[in-house]
Amino acid sequence: MKPTGLLEVTAVRPVTPRTVRVTFTDSDLADLEPWPDQQLKLLFPPPGRPVRLPAADGDVMRWYQAFLAVPENERPVMRSYTVRSRDRDTIDVDFVLHSGSAGPATAWARRAAPGDVLGRYGPDAAYRRPLSTADTLLCAGDETAIPAIATILSEVDNAVAFVEVADAAEEQPLPGEVHWLHRDGAGHGRKLVEAVRGAALPEGSVAAWLAGEASTVRAVRRHLVGERGWAKNVVEFTGYWRRSLTQDDAPTPEDLADAAEKLEDSAGWKGN
């Protein structure tokens, strides 16, 4: 499969009051093997301009350098997303419509319509991670993590999931053991951290998959490693977004520390 390409919108439909599902097609996707937590980069063109993709030769670093070389007024905005589902040459991607000032992805999703075109980089099998073989896999995240959690739950029967969303209207049908947590006006992440801290997990080996708002993910990970004594290399974690910051803002010291630990842990990541 070509590492980059153009995705054309074929359908747009609401999933919940705050989530919209967009179906894309690209003939290059037909030969791509699906896997859980399959991620790709979406490239949103500047308003009124077509998508400009740098040349791709299979080397991600050279591609990224070529991407940065595109003039700023023509360069797409790049954001990471998880494939919600696959059907031959189509993929579904869920967009959470964040409240307040809309970023480029939310603004695009609110007006998306069949025929619209985005660029993509990936999905790339080089970033595929093995699923846990532990007796219990703890999944925890917010609404931005639902697509990945859904694909993980469809593949395993040893998972316990905690998902924090705005309210009951944001729940989605998911397989397996899922504990829904409703903020109902409470601070983002508070109920998720409290629920994981209070969770009584089955006996046996454990592993965790965590994603969502970065500071919340950090708090849950600290609890598992620092308070429960879990080994760092059984906790896979990703901060999808940051409060009051975008992916274009400079990384905070906490972000840099997380990145360093992820690099360290990736060498010894265990799926058990």
Side-chain angles (χ1 to χ4, degrees), residues 11-268:
V12 181
R13 55 198 182 280
V15 178
T16 71
R18 299 176 181 86
T19 301
V20 64
R21 181 164 297 160
V22 180
T23 301
F24 297 96
T25 186
D26 180 348
S27 59
D28 286 334
L29 297 172
D31 297 328
L32 179 67
E33 178 188 358
W35 62 83
D37 191 15
Q38 188 173 65
Q39 299 181 21
L40 79 165
K41 304 287 188 183
L42 294 180
L43 290 91
F44 301 84
R49 289 183 176 270
V51 180
R52 178 172 172 180
L53 296 178
D57 60 3
D59 184 291
V60 63
M61 291 309 298
R62 281 199 293 268
W63 180 88
Y64 187 61
Q65 290 301 316
F67 171 79
L68 293 178
V70 175
E72 188 172 356
N73 65 335
E74 300 178 20
R75 187 189 310 148
V77 173
M78 185 163 57
R79 294 289 185 265
S80 298
Y81 279 86
T82 303
V83 176
R84 179 63 174 82
S85 61
R86 279 276 315 282
D87 183 12
R88 295 184 295 277
D89 62 351
T90 67
I91 58 172
D92 285 340
V93 177
D94 286 358
F95 293 81
V96 177
L97 305 179
H98 295 284
S99 59
S101 179
T106 293
W108 180 88
R110 284 176 175 165
R111 62 175 186 270
D116 290 348
V117 174
L118 293 183
R120 66 162 177 83
Y121 188 96
D124 188 340
Y127 296 96
R128 182 175 184 173
R129 301 293 293 272
L131 285 176
S132 170
T133 58
D135 296 326
T136 300
L137 173 62
L138 170 68
C139 295
D142 58 20
E143 46 269 270
T144 64
I146 290 176
I149 291 175
T151 62
I152 293 171
L153 295 181
S154 68
E155 295 290 327
V156 302
D157 58 7
N158 63 337
V160 178
F162 292 86
V163 185
E164 184 189 278
V165 293
D167 52 42
E170 294 303 305
E171 293 187 17
Q172 298 182 33
L174 295 178
E177 183 180 342
V178 181
H179 301 272
W180 291 98
L181 311 167
H182 305 148
R183 283 190 293 275
D184 290 329
H188 196 111
R190 192 189 74 188
K191 291 191 176 181
L192 183 63
V193 174
E194 291 175 352
V196 174
R197 279 182 171 159
L201 300 176
E203 296 292 330
S205 60
V206 291
W209 182 98
L210 317 173
E213 193 279 320
S215 65
T216 302
V217 169
R218 196 174 295 122
V220 174
R221 180 173 179 269
R222 285 172 178 164
H223 161 69
L224 296 177
V225 173
E227 298 176 29
R228 294 200 183 223
W230 292 20
K232 290 182 179 180
N233 61 359
V234 302
V235 181
E236 185 171 0
F237 66 102
T238 305
Y240 283 165
W241 61 283
R242 301 175 293 172
R243 269 177 266 190
S244 302
L245 295 171
T246 75
Q247 291 184 25
D248 301 316
D249 292 315
T252 65
E254 291 83 3
D255 295 330
L256 294 173
D258 286 351
E261 289 210 34
K262 285 174 72 68
L263 286 173
E264 178 184 338
D265 294 348
S266 64

